[in-house]
Amino acid sequence: MTDRISRNFTVAEMTVSATAARMGRVVELAEYARPNLERLCAEILEPLRASLRRPVVVISGYRPPWLNRAVGGSPTSQHMRGEAVDIIVPGFTPREVAERIIRLELPFHQLILEFPPNGWVHVSVAPQGAKAPAGQ
């Protein structure tokens, strides 16, 4: 049985990393990050998937500090707490995905188009107990 974070997302998807594989390392999900990933899936990824009627592909999810350093991530990256993912959706441009997240009024904390026009969308939930930025 697959360890599920939500109906459509697994721990394996949230910890996949080509960089870690090249380094010969395995990404283990930290227990403190799991509730954040569950919230991220419930509040953003699952509603987005339902709206687009397509799989949402996670290209970077949870990153332990060693992996975050290896990919050149910010020292305060929400990926290290399981609060952020980088995603693509086949058949949609990153801009279309970001626009859909906004139109659905999903409670994102950060929404960034990375390397447009053909990159990916970085989306996060606010840290537990924090409010989403004004205007949402």
Side-chain angles (χ1 to χ4, degrees):
M1 183 172 159
T2 305
D3 191 9
R4 295 213 164 267
I5 296 289
S6 69
R7 181 173 184 238
N8 292 294
F9 295 93
T10 65
V11 168
E13 288 175 281
M14 294 297 169
T15 58
V16 68
S17 171
T19 300
R22 280 193 302 274
M23 295 171 71
R25 296 191 67 177
V26 175
V27 176
E28 298 286 338
L29 180 60
E31 283 303 312
Y32 63 80
R34 187 180 184 104
N36 294 328
L37 286 172
E38 290 171 351
R39 193 164 46 90
L40 181 62
C41 287
E43 295 179 7
I44 296 175
L45 299 181
E46 291 288 359
L48 178 63
R49 186 181 196 280
S51 176
L52 295 175
R53 297 185 183 134
R54 298 267 174 87
V56 173
V57 179
V58 175
I59 58 173
S60 182
Y62 168 71
R63 295 181 199 148
W66 63 264
L67 178 57
N68 193 62
R69 284 189 301 276
V71 301
S74 164
T76 59
S77 174
Q78 288 185 278
H79 285 276
M80 293 188 294
R81 295 185 305 273
E83 296 168 346
V85 290
D86 298 333
I87 59 172
I88 59 171
V89 179
F92 290 87
T93 67
R95 180 167 299 284
E96 290 169 328
V97 172
E99 288 171 350
R100 183 67 61 100
I101 290 169
I102 293 166
R103 191 167 48 251
L104 292 171
E105 299 181 353
L106 299 178
F108 65 87
H109 183 249
Q110 291 181 330
L111 183 62
I112 304 168
L113 290 174
E114 301 272 7
F115 303 101
N118 300 314
W120 58 86
V121 175
H122 168 94
V123 63
S124 70
V125 290
Q128 191 66 39
K131 293 185 179 180
Q136 288 190 43

